[in-house]
Amino acid sequence: MSPRAAARARYAVVGTGARAEMFVRALVLDHADTTELVAFADVNQARMDAHNRWLGELGHRPVPTYPAGDFAAMLDKERVDVVLVTSVDVTHDEYVVAALRAGRQVVTEKPMTVDAARCRRILDTVTETGGRVTVAFNYRYNPLHEQVRRLLAEGAVGEIGSVHFEWLLDVRHGADYFRRWHRDKASSGGLMVHKASHHFDLVNWWLAATPVEVYAAGRLFFYGEDGRRHGYARDYDRAHGSPAAADDPFALRLDAHPRLRELYLDAEAEDGYQRDRNVFAPGVSIEDDMAVLARYSTGATMTYHLTAYAPWEGYRVMVNGSRGRLELDVAENDFVDRGTAGAVKGAALHGAEAPAEGGGATLTLRPFWAPPRQIPVEGRSRHGHGGADARMTGVLLGGQPDPLGRAATADDGALALLTGLAANRSFETGQPVRVADLLTPR
């Protein structure tokens, strides 16, 4: 083996917001024997400086920082092997494509991108270069979701006829999408893309199927300027420095979260980005209540509902088949305390100080002509998306075995994205949308 082959893989992170911290910690702590963090790139120097300060707390040297405009030069100067893309969703394709054309591997946060044109660009570049893109769908790595995959593959319910999937974001976690850049559909693709791509990918993976047609209805019901009719709104634009936000359960207090303060409040002077917008302020262009009906290549259908203003957080999945029904019920909390409503969910901090996630889960198999059977839940953790984050970085960064094929490809990323994009188009037209048509030039 050559010295270069035996060396640790050299990683650069582009986009140094809160999500980057989970990957950075994994690189320098959990997989330091096989990986080396060599650079940061971002549009904001203060955020990169914050990450370098945190590296010092971990006993790691600071790494070179580059303006986002110098991304291509960084790849060569720092001899980067793999790029980790954790930037704003709408910019993913810019870095993915540049890295592929420079001969680098890419791991990108979900969603892979936010629209069909950018998706086509990534897929064409993968074909053109023969490069590899892996999408970080951490829900695939949740032990409970792996258990569902195995049960379905083993025929626990027979041939699958339909899936019902309900996801509830509570008024703490759900509200956070309406405070930050995600509130702008042009930047995030809306919750059908940014959030639900996780769920659509799970269904694709569980069914070993691809989406064919989508019909959907969605609206902005609770948040935004029109949501003021519900009686929760206070008159301010952003929470910091606003007396009207003092008693608002929907206000994010950046001063109460040292890491968020460093990443965002202390960095505002450079780019003007405000992390703590009023969830009822004008400018929200995404939906908060969405219903989807999808048909798959196997003939199975899925009904899906995402609510972003629920009193509790969790999800329910029901799979109906020719031999019975599998029911998954997960409660991440059963209510939101008003005193902590303006905080961010623990997993959203992605740092050492993030508290463990609570709640419980049940998995029930209901075969025909037999009593229901409670299936013991395997390996569930209260940390990092049910233990998924550590398992994902173990595969993507640590090269651990992946017998279930959890590492999602660019094609997997596209299929999850396209379900959400089809839903968005159906919102606009009121008509069913064929998924294949989205990548066909119009």
Side-chain angles (χ1 to χ4, degrees):
M1 180 180 293
S2 69
R4 181 67 183 134
R8 294 181 295 166
R10 298 172 64 84
Y11 282 76
V13 175
V14 56
T16 51
R19 184 59 181 165
E21 189 173 0
M22 183 271 293
F23 287 104
V24 170
R25 291 179 64 85
L27 287 168
V28 304
L29 292 182
D30 302 330
H31 305 293
D33 57 334
T34 58
T35 67
E36 182 179 4
L37 176 63
V38 299
F40 290 130
D42 201 293
V43 297
N44 190 296
Q45 184 65 45
R47 281 197 283 274
M48 293 189 285
D49 291 344
H51 277 276
N52 264 331
R53 282 194 294 275
W54 301 339
L55 281 176
E57 294 172 5
L58 299 176
H60 193 282
R61 61 172 177 78
V63 300
T65 61
Y66 289 81
D70 293 340
F71 176 77
M74 175 198 71
L75 296 177
D76 288 334
K77 186 172 182 180
E78 303 300 336
R79 296 177 290 114
V80 174
D81 297 311
V82 186
V83 175
L84 276 165
V85 180
T86 54
S87 57
V88 173
D89 297 349
V90 71
T91 67
H92 285 185
D93 69 302
E94 176 184 348
Y95 303 117
V96 170
V97 168
L100 287 173
R101 288 180 175 163
R104 272 63 175 191
Q105 297 178 27
V106 179
V107 176
T108 182
E109 256 297 341
K110 62 80 194 168
M112 190 169 74
T113 185
V114 299
D115 60 37
R118 288 177 169 86
C119 180
R120 180 79 274 168
R121 184 179 180 223
I122 290 172
L123 294 178
D124 287 348
T125 306
V126 169
T127 300
E128 167 196 326
T129 64
R132 187 173 75 189
V133 175
T134 305
V135 184
F137 283 124
N138 58 2
Y139 283 166
R140 287 189 178 206
Y141 298 82
N142 185 312
L144 185 53
H145 300 159
E146 295 175 4
Q147 193 174 3
V148 170
R149 162 86 169 191
R150 289 194 297 270
L151 286 166
L152 296 177
E154 291 164 0
V157 300
E159 181 182 347
I160 297 170
S162 63
V163 177
H164 177 67
F165 199 150
E166 179 185 27
W167 197 283
L168 300 170
L169 292 167
D170 65 33
V171 287
R172 177 182 54 165
H173 188 190
D176 207 37
Y177 294 103
F178 297 83
R179 301 181 185 119
R180 45 188 171 145
W181 57 263
H182 304 74
R183 72 201 317 259
D184 174 21
K185 187 175 277 193
S187 296
S188 68
L191 292 178
M192 284 286 93
V193 168
H194 178 82
K195 184 64 179 176
S197 62
H198 261 323
H199 315 147
F200 298 147
D201 175 68
L202 272 182
V203 174
N204 294 344
W205 188 57
W206 283 338
L207 301 187
T210 58
V212 173
E213 189 172 57
V214 175
Y215 175 72
R219 61 172 174 157
L220 181 60
F221 165 75
F222 186 79
Y223 301 106
E225 196 169 14
D226 289 346
R228 299 174 71 87
R229 71 183 185 275
H230 302 301
Y232 300 108
R234 305 288 190 274
D235 289 323
Y236 64 93
D237 185 58
R238 54 91 55 91
H240 182 69
S242 301
D247 64 344
D248 182 9
F250 291 98
L252 174 63
R253 294 162 184 85
L254 289 172
D255 282 335
H257 305 284
R259 270 171 152 69
L260 293 184
R261 185 189 66 236
E262 281 194 76
L263 284 180
Y264 302 110
L265 189 59
D266 295 349
E268 280 185 18
E270 289 195 37
D271 57 16
Y273 173 62
Q274 295 178 345
R275 174 66 175 78
D276 59 345
R277 296 290 305 279
N278 184 346
V279 300
F280 300 105
V284 176
S285 57
I286 66 174
E287 299 81 12
D288 58 21
D289 196 308
M290 296 139 278
V292 176
L293 174 61
R295 180 169 58 85
Y296 290 84
S297 54
T298 59
T301 59
M302 174 187 68
T303 52
Y304 172 86
H305 202 111
L306 175 59
T307 304
Y309 55 91
W312 67 282
E313 179 141 325
Y315 53 104
R316 299 184 177 109
V317 181
M318 289 139 275
V319 183
N320 301 300
S322 61
R323 296 184 181 277
R325 175 180 170 102
L326 185 66
E327 299 175 349
L328 171 62
D329 198 322
V330 177
E332 296 186 352
N333 64 52
D334 57 8
F335 82 106
V336 176
D337 185 276
R338 183 182 177 91
T340 61
V344 289
K345 186 183 177 188
L349 290 170
H350 300 295
E353 84 277 20
E357 300 162 18
T362 61
L363 187 59
T364 307
L365 181 63
R366 299 181 181 273
F368 292 155
W369 305 299
R373 177 162 59 93
Q374 292 293 317
I375 299 176
V377 171
E378 299 174 0
R380 181 169 166 79
S381 167
R382 296 180 64 238
H383 292 272
H385 297 100
D389 287 350
R391 295 162 70 93
M392 178 180 72
T393 57
V395 170
L396 301 188
L397 309 181
Q400 294 176 5
D402 186 23
L404 290 176
R406 296 163 297 179
T409 65
D411 286 341
D412 296 325
L415 289 171
L417 168 68
L418 290 169
T419 307
L421 294 179
N424 280 341
R425 183 174 294 181
S426 189
F427 293 166
E428 297 169 2
T429 65
Q431 300 297 316
V433 175
R434 286 186 54 82
V435 171
D437 293 345
L438 294 173
L439 291 181
T440 303
R442 291 188 292 167

